[in-house]
Amino acid sequence: MTEQPHKQRTQTRNAPLHKRQKQLHATLSDELREEYDTRRTRVNAGDTVEVMRGDHAGEEGEVIRAILEDGTIHVEDVTIETADGEEVPRPLDPSNVRITELDLEDERREARLEGDNE
């Protein structure tokens, strides 16, 4: 891995989708860390997160969308106003949120989390 920042930014920007999934990881709350014995996991639509940084710090909401292409997530009730007065979801970096509740409808995701603590 190179130490040159411009090359690191280029590699991150040009990464294939299967490697971009690692860029959508967020830390788990203390209760979930103990339950699943892991520090972080990927943020999916349907998870409940708490915003830790920025103007909306302390707010909690459900993830509406997780976008692999630009590595951002959209949380309900975390919006910004556009110039014409429309409210649109504010893109957040997953490193600035903490997962407080997981959406475990996907059996593979649940098995993956359960398998980590065995």
Side-chain angles (χ1 to χ4, degrees), residues 36-99:
Y36 294 110
D37 197 30
T38 186
R39 185 177 180 87
R40 67 190 189 112
T41 191
R42 180 172 169 200
V43 181
N44 286 349
D47 292 343
T48 304
V49 297
E50 176 187 2
V51 180
M52 304 299 292
R53 297 274 186 261
D55 298 335
H56 298 280
E59 292 186 29
E60 202 167 315
E62 186 176 326
V63 176
I64 302 168
R65 234 176 123 193
I67 307 167
L68 277 177
E69 285 77 16
D70 58 1
T72 60
I73 61 172
H74 293 165
V75 179
E76 69 180 356
D77 299 331
V78 177
T79 59
I80 54 175
E81 190 174 328
T82 60
D84 62 353
E86 184 183 355
E87 293 281 328
V88 295
R90 179 178 187 170
L92 296 173
D93 193 82
S95 66
N96 294 333
V97 300
R98 176 190 299 147
I99 301 174

